[in-house]
RNA sequence: GCCGGGUUGGGGUAGGGGAUAUCCUUGGGGACUGUGGAUCCCCGGACCCGGGUUCAAUUCCCGGACCCGGCCCCA
């Protein structure tokens, strides 16, 4: 039983990976704060029942769950929204609107594949207590700005739809089971037109109406193209509140300079709890899974035994984001601080160097020391291959002059600095 | 849960029913206890696991684990 291997679907992060992850998280936090969102956090374990309540057995089957020592059925959290919702309804005193974000670790027991592991981080942002076009566009623009901040501007597209509009469309073309038709439409880009048409036909959507629907689904539209495309189904759709809200949201985003945002009738986001607009972000080429996804879910607070609270939010996983950043070479170094490596020559030199080490640390510098017995050549070699930016040399010469030698490893330049002036470096 | 492809030092690889398992790179050390990335020399390090076939398996067969990808589902 000497298993010292990594669990399937889990990933180790070495310093070089952490540097990138930290950079991603820093950007997320920076933009969320910029938008006036406040950080929250919650446990990584919750009662399994909470997910049964919200998402049913389908999700529960994919959890890392177990019975604890007190016979409670608990699980590593598979998604963020229920915990956020639990926190929200537990506090009646909070001033609205409430704008929260966090970056929890989430777990799902499913087969690993590209852009999907059993453990991952997900940036989440939710806006509670207010609804409408401005709020919709704020939450979508937040997702966009997070991507923009990482150099992905113009490399992604956001597909937006509205649940109520979609339901209205389906009703008008004679759908008898809106929920299951939505889930058929959800597969529009994965299956052939024939397969999709066949399934819809079985549900009684036929003839010209089916043709019109398939034609509507087969592309995305700019705000000003919506009217024409929807008229094809039924002109009366233009009086639907869902249409108006969606169109105005798209206009609002465009007015604020967000360009790659389209109405996409094939974006419906599963069978879950969304009640208004829904949206998903993809890379431009459509090479990867969705980068983020979300929507309005006004009914959820009541399911959690709270008062009705309007809610909209999205989640952005780290795995697909990493795929895309890698593809576009978007990493930037996080660690821009200068780093120092102190080399003391001889026993006396090392003692003095060691004092300087602690002195510089107290002054806030990032500094390490060579405790090995290498010769100077190898010490410098070591320092440069470790990636230090400067070395500090303390030998007989320096001790005699009460100074240190500072060498810039990139340029090779050297200067002598008096020990009393160490603050200068 | 299902399907396809894979697994040889830390990374990348060659090979192969029996022999000291190849090469590159990385790591450690030295040439060179007062000035680095070059060069040369030395050293360390691998056949995923279990079972079967066989005189003999790292090689062939079966199963499993893990990796990559797809399905289901979708945070």
């Amino acid at each position: 039983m000497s298993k010292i291997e990594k669990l399937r679907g889990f990933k180790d992060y070495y310093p070089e990976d952490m540097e990138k992850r930290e950079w991603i998280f820093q950007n997320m936090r920076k933009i969320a704060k910029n938008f006036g969102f406040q950080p929250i956090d919650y446990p990584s374990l919750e009662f399994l029942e909470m997910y049964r309540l919200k998402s049913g057995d389908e999700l529960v089957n994919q959890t890392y769950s177990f019975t604890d020592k007190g016979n409670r059925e608990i699980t590593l959290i598979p998604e963020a929204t229920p915990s956020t919702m639990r926190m929200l309804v537990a506090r009646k005193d909070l001033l609205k609107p409430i704008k929260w974000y966090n970056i929890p670790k989430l777990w799902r027991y499913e087969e690993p594949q590209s852009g999907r592991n059993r453990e991952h981080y997900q940036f989440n942002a939710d806006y509670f207590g207010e609804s409408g076009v401005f709020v919709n566009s704020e939450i979508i623009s937040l997702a966009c700005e997070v991507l923009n901040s990482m150099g992905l501007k113009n490399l992604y597209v956001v597909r937006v739809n509205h649940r109520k509009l979609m339901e209205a469309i389906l009703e008008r073309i004679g759908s008898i089971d809106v929920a299951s038709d939505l889930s058929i439409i959800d597969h529009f880009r994965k299956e052939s037109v024939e397969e999709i048409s066949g399934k819809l036909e079985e549900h009684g959507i036929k003839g010209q109406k089916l043709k019109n629907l398939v034609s509507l689904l087969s592309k995305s539209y700019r705000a000003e193209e919506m009217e024409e495309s929807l008229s094809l189904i039924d002109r009366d759709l233009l009086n639907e509140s869902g249409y108006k809200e969606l169109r105005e949201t798209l206009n609002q985003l465009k007015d604020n300079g967000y360009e790659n945002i389209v109405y996409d009738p094939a974006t419906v986001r599963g069978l879950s709890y969304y009640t208004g607009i829904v949206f998903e972000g993809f890379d431009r080429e459509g090479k990867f899974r969705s980068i983020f996804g979300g929507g309005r879910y006004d009914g959820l607070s009541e399911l959690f035994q709270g008062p009705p609270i309007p809610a909209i939010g999205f989640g952005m996983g780290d795995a697909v984001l990493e795929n895309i950043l890698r593809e576009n070479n978007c990493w930037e170094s996080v660690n821009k601080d200068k780093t120092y490596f102190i080399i003391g020559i001889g026993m006396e030199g090392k003692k003095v160097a060691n004092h300087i080490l602690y002195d510089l640390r107290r002054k806030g510098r990032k500094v390490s020391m060579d405790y090995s017995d290498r010769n100077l050549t190898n010490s410098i070699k070591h320092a440069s291959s470790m990636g230090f930016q400067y070395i500090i040399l303390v030998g007989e010469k320096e001790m005699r002059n009460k100074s240190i030698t500072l060498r810039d490893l990139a340029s090779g330049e050297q200067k002598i600095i008096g020990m009393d002036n160490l603050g200068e470096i």
Side-chain angles (χ1 to χ4, degrees):
Chain A
M1 271 305 286
S2 59
K3 283 276 182 197
I4 51 164
E5 283 161 9
K6 199 157 43 71
L7 239 31
R8 178 169 172 74
F10 287 72
K11 216 183 136 192
D12 290 329
Y13 279 79
Y14 288 91
E16 61 268 29
D17 308 311
M18 281 307 284
E19 198 184 335
K20 289 162 185 163
R21 194 165 91 183
E22 298 271 284
W23 177 72
I24 292 176
F25 287 3
Q26 270 178 28
N27 281 308
M28 290 168 167
R29 293 194 181 102
K30 187 181 76 197
I31 301 299
K33 284 175 187 161
N34 184 230
F35 271 65
F37 282 65
Q38 297 174 299
I40 57 165
D41 202 10
Y42 34 72
S44 295
L45 291 171
E46 296 272 11
F47 284 103
L48 188 58
E49 192 55 31
M50 186 163 74
Y51 303 93
R52 247 186 223 116
L53 186 67
K54 191 204 132 216
S55 308
D57 285 339
E58 191 72 60
L59 175 71
V60 167
N61 286 337
Q62 286 185 59
T63 55
Y64 264 97
S65 49
F66 57 97
T67 306
D68 75 2
K69 292 178 180 174
N71 259 321
R72 288 169 279 259
E73 267 199 300
I74 59 181
T75 182
L76 283 163
I77 59 173
E79 52 176 335
T81 308
S83 301
T84 307
M85 200 43 88
R86 183 177 57 67
M87 284 176 69
L88 181 74
V89 301
R91 282 277 295 269
K92 316 273 189 216
D93 59 317
L94 298 170
L95 281 181
K96 297 196 181 64
I98 292 159
K99 297 155 78 175
W100 282 347
Y101 81 91
N102 71 328
I103 312 178
K105 223 177 199 182
L106 306 176
W107 294 265
R108 285 224 166 170
Y109 199 97
E110 62 179 350
E111 288 309 295
Q113 45 195 297
S114 179
R116 190 177 287 192
N117 295 317
R118 287 182 169 182
E119 176 181 68
H120 72 123
Y121 283 93
Q122 189 185 69
F123 173 71
N124 270 269
D126 295 278
Y127 194 128
F128 301 107
E130 253 173 357
S131 56
V133 170
F134 289 116
V135 176
N136 291 350
S137 69
E138 168 148 342
I139 207 85
I140 293 175
S141 60
L142 170 57
C144 292
E145 288 300 346
V146 168
L147 297 184
N148 293 350
S149 74
M150 290 181 251
L152 292 172
K153 196 166 187 176
N154 295 324
L155 295 172
Y156 62 90
V157 56
V158 185
R159 299 180 187 150
V160 192
N161 197 356
H162 198 293
R163 270 296 172 84
K164 289 195 179 124
L165 172 61
M166 209 55 219
E167 283 160 14
I169 290 173
L170 287 171
E171 276 160 22
R172 263 151 232 261
I173 60 169
S175 170
I176 43 168
D177 185 351
V178 171
S180 69
D181 289 339
L182 281 176
S183 90
I184 294 168
I185 290 169
D186 195 36
H187 288 83
F188 192 80
R189 285 198 173 72
K190 282 191 168 178
E191 294 171 30
S192 71
V193 173
E194 290 73 33
E195 281 175 285
I196 299 286
S197 305
K199 285 183 188 172
L200 289 170
E201 221 161 2
E202 281 171 31
H203 286 201
I205 300 169
K206 298 197 170 100
Q208 192 59 40
K209 284 182 170 171
L210 177 61
K211 270 190 189 162
N212 288 345
L213 177 64
V214 169
S215 141
L216 177 73
L217 290 171
S218 56
K219 70 179 281 248
S220 306
Y221 309 86
R222 294 196 300 272
E224 60 273 20
E225 297 171 321
M226 287 180 72
E227 190 173 329
E228 194 191 332
S229 61
L230 289 170
S231 298
L232 199 77
I233 305 274
D234 187 339
R235 238 202 114 68
D236 212 32
L237 284 169
L238 305 182
N239 297 318
E240 287 288 333
S241 65
Y243 163 72
K244 288 177 185 160
E245 187 186 343
L246 176 53
R247 177 156 183 184
E248 277 172 42
T249 299
L250 291 175
N251 282 335
Q252 182 63 31
L253 283 160
K254 200 180 168 191
D255 286 349
N256 286 316
Y258 297 96
E259 293 290 345
N260 317 311
I261 302 176
V262 293
Y263 164 50
D264 179 52
T267 296
V268 296
R269 292 190 58 70
L271 278 172
S272 45
Y273 46 87
Y274 294 110
T275 55
I277 63 160
V278 288
F279 53 89
E280 267 177 291
F282 290 88
D283 62 296
R284 269 232 122 139
E285 268 94 64
K287 247 176 118 170
F288 303 103
R289 291 167 195 283
S290 70
I291 315 168
F292 64 86
R296 179 160 289 288
Y297 51 101
D298 289 345
L300 204 57
S301 62
E302 288 159 279
L303 200 58
F304 279 71
Q305 288 141 37
I309 302 171
I312 183 169
F314 70 90
M316 182 185 289
D318 63 344
V320 177
L321 192 56
E322 268 192 50
N323 281 347
I324 289 157
L325 289 169
R326 227 171 270 285
E327 174 94 353
N328 293 290
N329 255 315
C330 279
W331 307 112
E332 241 173 66
S333 181
V334 195
N335 200 343
K336 292 182 184 108
D337 291 347
K338 293 170 178 173
T339 52
Y340 301 86
F341 192 61
I342 300 189
I343 302 164
I345 297 160
M347 201 50 216
E348 278 311 302
K350 278 186 161 47
K351 279 184 184 166
V352 176
N354 202 239
H355 282 301
I356 295 170
L357 171 73
Y358 285 98
D359 188 24
L360 284 173
R361 283 176 178 166
R362 280 183 204 112
K363 289 185 163 75
R365 304 298 187 284
K366 294 187 176 174
V367 41
S368 297
M369 179 167 164
D370 189 0
Y371 293 128
S372 78
D373 292 320
R374 303 180 183 87
N375 60 41
L376 183 60
T377 303
N378 283 328
S379 286
I380 294 172
K381 221 184 256 187
H382 179 76
S384 98
S385 59
M386 290 288 280
F388 288 98
Q389 281 144 14
Y390 296 89
I391 54 170
I392 290 167
L393 225 55
V394 183
E396 269 177 49
K397 210 163 36 181
E398 285 81 5
M399 287 188 284
R400 219 167 25 239
N401 303 332
K402 292 205 179 311
S403 66
I404 55 118
T405 298
L406 178 73
R407 181 180 176 90
D408 181 338
L409 285 172
S411 66
E413 276 168 42
Q414 254 176 226
K415 53 185 171 182
I416 313 277
I417 291 169
M419 290 212 197
D420 298 333
N421 302 319
L422 282 177
E424 285 173 19
I425 71 168

